[in-house]
């Protein structure tokens, strides 16, 4: 729990902030080991010898409403980021300002880190704990202690 020796280490503090944002730490800095269970049974197919999973369209992990919520939140966050660095101006239509494009070397994306979009943090934490993590445990046949972050 004590981070006194780490406060000057930028990478460690970034990871601590991510874990707090994603809800994967308890207040004392330890991992949160909730005993969550799958509340819905998600159907999926497996290929590549169990290395690739495709969730069935009839049992989506995220609803259309949730997808729209995340997209709108990310777009609003991107605009807020842009406006902080360009006071008094409006972003140009189609601009990628406020989005990152260099976070993933091997798989280029245009995105935003979830931990930086405060409006979706509580929703993400719930989805991770109650849907995604249990599904990954099932698909990859992992014990709860091996699938934390």
């Amino acid at each position: 729990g004590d981070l006194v020796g780490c406060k000057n280490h930028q990478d460690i503090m970034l990871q601590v902030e991510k874990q707090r944002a994603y809800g994967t730490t308890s207040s004392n800095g330890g991992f949160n080991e909730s005993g969550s269970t799958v509340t819905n049974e998600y159907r999926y197919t497996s290929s590549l010898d169990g290395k690739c999973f495709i969730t069935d369209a009839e049992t989506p992990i995220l609803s259309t409403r949730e997808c729209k919520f995340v997209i709108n939140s990310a777009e609003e966050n991107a605009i807020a980021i842009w406006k902080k660095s360009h006071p008094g101006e409006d972003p140009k239509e189609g601009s990628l300002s406020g989005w990152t494009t260099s976070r993933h070397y091997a798989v280029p994306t245009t995105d935003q880190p979830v931990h930086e979009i405060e409006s979706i943090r509580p929703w993400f934490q719930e989805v991770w704990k109650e849907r995604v993590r249990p599904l990954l445990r099932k698909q990859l046949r992992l014990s709860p202690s091996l699938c934390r972050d």
Side-chain angles (χ1 to χ4, degrees):
D2 189 2
L3 297 172
V4 173
C6 300
K7 293 199 184 287
N8 293 327
H9 194 288
Q10 184 178 2
D11 292 336
I12 291 174
M13 295 311 297
L14 175 60
Q15 184 60 30
V16 168
E17 175 58 28
K18 287 179 183 180
Q19 287 179 290
R20 286 183 180 141
Y22 296 137
T24 57
T25 60
S26 61
S27 59
N28 69 1
F31 282 100
N32 212 356
E33 286 300 331
S34 106
S36 65
T37 58
V38 177
T39 55
N40 293 316
E41 191 62 33
Y42 300 104
R43 292 190 311 262
Y44 59 89
T45 56
S46 174
S47 59
L48 299 175
D49 296 321
K51 295 177 185 162
C52 178
F53 302 95
I54 301 169
T55 307
D56 189 305
E58 298 299 316
T59 58
I61 295 173
L62 303 178
S63 70
T64 300
R65 186 173 148 261
E66 289 174 307
C67 291
K68 287 179 182 178
F69 164 70
V70 171
I71 291 167
N72 290 338
S73 297
E75 289 175 346
E76 289 170 8
N77 192 61
I79 291 169
I81 290 169
W82 191 90
K83 285 184 174 184
K84 279 183 185 177
S85 62
H86 298 83
E89 297 180 43
D90 287 326
K92 295 180 174 76
E93 186 70 30
S95 168
L96 292 179
S97 298
W99 293 87
T100 64
T101 57
S102 60
R103 291 185 333 115
H104 310 288
Y105 175 77
V107 184
T109 63
T110 299
D111 61 11
Q112 292 181 51
V114 170
H115 69 274
E116 292 182 6
I117 309 172
E118 290 186 37
S119 62
I120 67 171
R121 285 181 184 179
W123 169 85
F124 178 82
Q125 291 171 4
E126 182 71 18
V127 168
W128 173 253
K129 289 176 187 174
E130 300 300 327
R131 299 184 224 170
V132 176
R133 185 169 51 188
L135 181 59
L136 286 173
R137 285 179 180 155
K138 181 179 177 180
Q139 290 173 330
L140 301 175
R141 298 182 182 115
L142 297 175
S143 71
S145 64
L146 293 176
C147 188
R148 295 186 265 186
D149 186 76

